[in-house]
PDB file of all heavy atoms in Angstrom:
ATOM      1  N   PRO A  47      -0.831 263.145 221.459  1.00 97.00           N
ATOM      2  CA  PRO A  47      -1.610 264.334 221.107  1.00 97.00           C
ATOM      3  C   PRO A  47      -1.370 265.444 222.121  1.00 97.00           C
ATOM      4  O   PRO A  47      -1.035 265.185 223.282  1.00 97.00           O
ATOM      5  CB  PRO A  47      -3.061 263.831 221.179  1.00 97.00           C
ATOM      6  CG  PRO A  47      -2.974 262.347 221.054  1.00 97.00           C
ATOM      7  CD  PRO A  47      -1.678 261.969 221.701  1.00 97.00           C
ATOM      8  N   GLU A  48      -1.543 266.674 221.692  1.00 96.00           N
ATOM      9  CA  GLU A  48      -1.212 267.835 222.520  1.00 96.00           C
ATOM     10  C   GLU A  48      -1.852 267.799 223.904  1.00 96.00           C
ATOM     11  O   GLU A  48      -1.162 267.985 224.926  1.00 96.00           O
ATOM     12  CB  GLU A  48      -1.651 269.113 221.804  1.00 96.00           C
ATOM     13  CG  GLU A  48      -1.400 270.378 222.613  1.00 96.00           C
ATOM     14  CD  GLU A  48      -1.848 271.634 221.890  1.00 96.00           C
ATOM     15  OE1 GLU A  48      -1.499 271.796 220.702  1.00 96.00           O
ATOM     16  OE2 GLU A  48      -2.553 272.439 222.509  1.00 96.00           O
ATOM     17  N   GLU A  49      -3.156 267.577 223.976  1.00 96.00           N
ATOM     18  CA  GLU A  49      -3.850 267.625 225.265  1.00 96.00           C
ATOM     19  C   GLU A  49      -3.272 266.617 226.247  1.00 96.00           C
ATOM     20  O   GLU A  49      -3.039 266.921 227.424  1.00 96.00           O
ATOM     21  CB  GLU A  49      -5.340 267.353 225.054  1.00 96.00           C
ATOM     22  CG  GLU A  49      -6.172 267.490 226.310  1.00 96.00           C
ATOM     23  CD  GLU A  49      -7.646 267.243 226.055  1.00 96.00           C
ATOM     24  OE1 GLU A  49      -8.000 266.766 224.959  1.00 96.00           O
ATOM     25  OE2 GLU A  49      -8.448 267.522 226.970  1.00 96.00           O
ATOM     26  N   MET A  50      -3.005 265.407 225.757  1.00 96.00           N
ATOM     27  CA  MET A  50      -2.464 264.377 226.632  1.00 96.00           C
ATOM     28  C   MET A  50      -1.006 264.663 226.984  1.00 96.00           C
ATOM     29  O   MET A  50      -0.573 264.410 228.117  1.00 96.00           O
ATOM     30  CB  MET A  50      -2.595 263.004 225.982  1.00 96.00           C
ATOM     31  CG  MET A  50      -2.255 261.867 226.923  1.00 96.00           C
ATOM     32  SD  MET A  50      -2.560 260.257 226.172  1.00 96.00           S
ATOM     33  CE  MET A  50      -4.336 260.310 226.076  1.00 96.00           C
ATOM     34  N   ALA A  51      -0.238 265.190 226.039  1.00 97.00           N
ATOM     35  CA  ALA A  51       1.166 265.513 226.308  1.00 97.00           C
ATOM     36  C   ALA A  51       1.271 266.532 227.428  1.00 97.00           C
ATOM     37  O   ALA A  51       2.074 266.380 228.361  1.00 97.00           O
ATOM     38  CB  ALA A  51       1.837 266.039 225.044  1.00 97.00           C
ATOM     39  N   VAL A  52       0.462 267.573 227.369  1.00 98.00           N
ATOM     40  CA  VAL A  52       0.488 268.616 228.391  1.00 98.00           C
ATOM     41  C   VAL A  52       0.067 268.045 229.742  1.00 98.00           C
ATOM     42  O   VAL A  52       0.701 268.294 230.768  1.00 98.00           O
ATOM     43  CB  VAL A  52      -0.426 269.796 227.995  1.00 98.00           C
ATOM     44  CG1 VAL A  52      -0.561 270.785 229.143  1.00 98.00           C
ATOM     45  CG2 VAL A  52       0.125 270.490 226.742  1.00 98.00           C
ATOM     46  N   SER A  53      -1.007 267.261 229.752  1.00 97.00           N
ATOM     47  CA  SER A  53      -1.502 266.688 230.999  1.00 97.00           C
ATOM     48  C   SER A  53      -0.481 265.751 231.643  1.00 97.00           C
ATOM     49  O   SER A  53      -0.218 265.820 232.848  1.00 97.00           O
ATOM     50  CB  SER A  53      -2.808 265.929 230.746  1.00 97.00           C
ATOM     51  OG  SER A  53      -3.256 265.273 231.905  1.00 97.00           O
ATOM     52  N   CYS A  54       0.115 264.876 230.841  1.00 97.00           N
ATOM     53  CA  CYS A  54       1.089 263.919 231.370  1.00 97.00           C
ATOM     54  C   CYS A  54       2.319 264.625 231.932  1.00 97.00           C
ATOM     55  O   CYS A  54       2.830 264.254 232.995  1.00 97.00           O
ATOM     56  CB  CYS A  54       1.502 262.937 230.281  1.00 97.00           C
ATOM     57  SG  CYS A  54       0.206 261.762 229.819  1.00 97.00           S
ATOM     58  N   CYS A  55       2.800 265.650 231.228  1.00 98.00           N
ATOM     59  CA  CYS A  55       3.977 266.388 231.697  1.00 98.00           C
ATOM     60  C   CYS A  55       3.681 267.123 233.004  1.00 98.00           C
ATOM     61  O   CYS A  55       4.556 267.246 233.863  1.00 98.00           O
ATOM     62  CB  CYS A  55       4.451 267.373 230.636  1.00 98.00           C
ATOM     63  SG  CYS A  55       5.235 266.583 229.196  1.00 98.00           S
TER      64      CYS A  55
END
Side-chain angles (χ1 to χ4, degrees):
E48 178 180 311
E49 185 179 11
M50 189 175 292
V52 172
S53 175
C54 289
C55 288

